[in-house]
Amino acid sequence: MVTAKVAAQETGQPPMGRVQRKRTQKIREILLATARVLNSDGYHAMNMDSVAEKMDLTKATLYHYFSSKDELVVACLNLVAEEVNDRLKELAAETRDLGARERLRALIHEQLVILLVDYPEAARLFAQPLEWPAEHRKLIRTLREPHDAVFREAVQAGVDSGELSSADPSLALHCIYGALNFAPVWARPQSRTAAKRLADTMCATLMKLFS
């Protein structure tokens, strides 16, 4: 386990004090609660009251951390995207020496575990953001670019090596994205074990898009 002191040394930043750590943790909890409200209610129905209620905070306390709904939403989107993208980038780096099929399968499996188990509140945030205001749609497109780059790099490497083949690799990848994004809508596994079994099955199916 990486301690706060070790993490600070690795980034070249001084370690956070206890008060700052507690504040950082509280903000993260608020942002994840915001993600859950956005996931269930959508942007237009979500408000500061609903997030405060979800956190069992007063609205005044919530305004102590965020001055407006849109500031809260932007911070939420950035946090979720950063944590998910960092996790996928780390896996991509760890699997760089594997075969293309095994590497792509690992990325698909990881994305499913993220959405079905670890980040169910992120399920709808980046799937098809049609109801978002224009400025948030622009942010979401920007935040999706690193995620897309991880998968496209893995697919392109497989196509270049001849291990992955498809008449239209880009279309096949979009089909994979569709399945990944909407798995949490119809699949509601009751445990991490069940989610991993589902991820295994979906991986085997989706990999058939590449011969």
Side-chain angles (χ1 to χ4, degrees), residues 153-174:
E153 190 277 331
V155 168
Q156 190 60 53
V159 170
D160 291 344
S161 68
E163 191 174 346
L164 297 176
S165 177
S166 172
D168 190 333
S170 182
L171 178 59
L173 191 53
H174 279 296

Side-chain angles (χ1 to χ4, degrees), residues 67-157:
S67 63
S68 68
K69 168 181 171 175
D70 282 326
E71 181 184 339
L72 177 59
V73 169
V74 168
C76 168
L77 292 171
N78 276 294
L79 173 81
V80 173
E82 180 181 2
E83 294 196 359
V84 172
N85 288 339
D86 284 352
R87 190 160 152 181
L88 290 171
K89 288 177 185 177
E90 182 178 350
L91 179 63
E94 291 173 352
T95 58
R96 190 166 299 278
D97 294 332
L98 297 180
R101 296 190 69 82
E102 188 175 355
R103 189 172 183 226
L104 179 59
R105 183 191 178 285
L107 289 170
I108 292 172
H109 190 280
E110 185 74 358
Q111 181 71 74
L112 285 166
V113 171
I114 288 171
L115 292 178
L116 295 174
V117 181
D118 299 329
Y119 263 107
E121 59 269 18
R124 291 178 57 199
L125 298 189
F126 297 91
Q128 188 65 23
L130 297 180
E131 67 171 27
W132 295 94
E135 63 270 23
H136 293 330
R137 288 201 301 272
K138 182 178 180 181
L139 172 62
I140 288 169
R141 286 195 297 271
T142 299
L143 295 174
R144 289 178 64 174
E145 289 174 0
H147 178 279
D148 182 60
V150 170
F151 280 89
R152 287 191 180 277
E153 190 277 331
V155 168
Q156 190 60 53

Side-chain angles (χ1 to χ4, degrees), residues 30-55 69 72-73 76 121-122 124-125 131-132:
I30 290 171
L31 295 179
L32 292 181
T34 302
R36 289 192 290 273
V37 174
L38 286 168
N39 190 45
S40 62
D41 299 347
Y43 170 81
H44 294 293
M46 172 262 179
N47 54 49
M48 300 291 274
D49 290 297
S50 56
V51 176
E53 182 178 354
K54 177 74 73 174
M55 284 293 297
K69 168 181 171 175
L72 177 59
V73 169
C76 168
E121 59 269 18
R124 291 178 57 199
L125 298 189
E131 67 171 27
W132 295 94

